[in-house]
Amino acid sequence: SKGHSLGRHKSGGIGRTTGDVITGMNPLSPYLNVDPCYLVQDTDEFILPTGTNKTRGRFELAFSTIGGYCVTGATFGAMNGLLLGLKETQSMAWSKPRNVQILNMVTRQGALWANTLGSLALLYSAFGVIIEKTPGAEDDLNTVAAGTMTGMLYKCTGGLRGIVRGGLAGLTLTSPCARYNNWEHMKASLPQQSL
């Protein structure tokens, strides 16, 4: 009977044989003569330490958050600088000095906004990571607390009134995010509760 077996072929490679027929022998290159079905992976491509979950924590998300806010700030600032530059040089003819003035405005505003939003994102992420380490802290409350503390620290140079305003601004900006996340969690748990 002609059964399946692994064996060495004339080409020197190892593959499956069905009698005299070679199956699954599609070499990837002349130097790598391996059956591609052995390269298929059914599991994750990374190994997690014991006791960890597959979702990224606040620390891992901090880097993309800070970078995203810096790029957003630079883009918004550059657009704002372009509009301000065009408005301030409206009476000038198109010339090199006007172009330089517009370019300076774009650069200054882009850097200013990127620095501001990047600093806010850094503070928010740092507070989020610190609060996350607190035992029993809920994720939605972490968001609101980190936003409130970020606003308070960012405006602390303005005295007590600045601290209160900054805290209220942080609370106001992060509450809708927490409410949206909480709504998504509630919607996801409703079908499970009905079962």
Side-chain angles (χ1 to χ4, degrees):
S1 72
K2 294 184 178 182
H4 294 289
S5 65
L6 286 177
R8 189 163 288 281
H9 302 292
K10 293 177 199 172
S11 63
I14 296 176
R16 291 188 202 139
T17 59
T18 309
D20 297 330
V21 182
I22 299 173
T23 59
M25 285 302 294
N26 296 324
L28 300 175
S29 75
Y31 305 107
L32 183 64
N33 196 8
V34 175
D35 189 355
C37 72
Y38 293 121
L39 302 177
V40 176
Q41 294 181 349
D42 297 345
T43 60
D44 293 332
E45 294 184 15
F46 52 91
I47 299 171
L48 295 169
T50 306
T52 59
N53 54 2
K54 289 186 180 184
T55 60
R56 297 191 310 173
R58 281 192 179 264
F59 185 71
E60 289 86 8
L61 294 173
F63 299 104
S64 58
T65 301
I66 295 166
Y69 274 91
C70 282
V71 169
T72 302
T75 303
F76 178 77
M79 299 305 288
N80 188 32
L82 180 64
L83 292 175
L84 287 174
L86 289 173
K87 188 185 288 186
E88 285 187 12
T89 60
Q90 194 172 10
S91 61
M92 295 174 69
W94 281 104
S95 61
K96 222 175 195 179
R98 183 179 184 190
N99 292 343
V100 168
Q101 196 167 356
I102 291 172
L103 190 59
N104 284 343
M105 211 49 144
V106 167
T107 306
R108 270 193 225 122
Q109 288 292 312
L112 175 75
W113 279 93
N115 189 17
T116 302
L117 288 184
S119 299
L120 286 170
L122 176 67
L123 289 173
Y124 171 75
S125 297
F127 282 128
V129 168
I130 291 168
I131 294 171
E132 182 187 39
K133 300 302 178 193
T134 306
E138 243 182 86
D139 195 35
D140 297 332
L141 295 178
N142 288 357
T143 302
V144 174
T148 303
M149 290 168 57
T150 298
M152 291 171 68
L153 185 61
Y154 191 74
K155 288 295 187 178
C156 70
T157 57
L160 187 59
R161 179 176 270 171
I163 291 172
V164 171
R165 284 183 182 167
L168 286 175
L171 179 70
T172 304
L173 290 172
T174 54
S175 291
C177 296
R179 192 174 307 134
Y180 174 75
N181 286 340
N182 199 10
W183 177 251
E184 290 296 317
H185 290 282
M186 286 172 47
K187 278 187 359 186
S189 66
L190 282 178
Q192 293 174 354
Q193 288 177 356
S194 63
L195 293 176

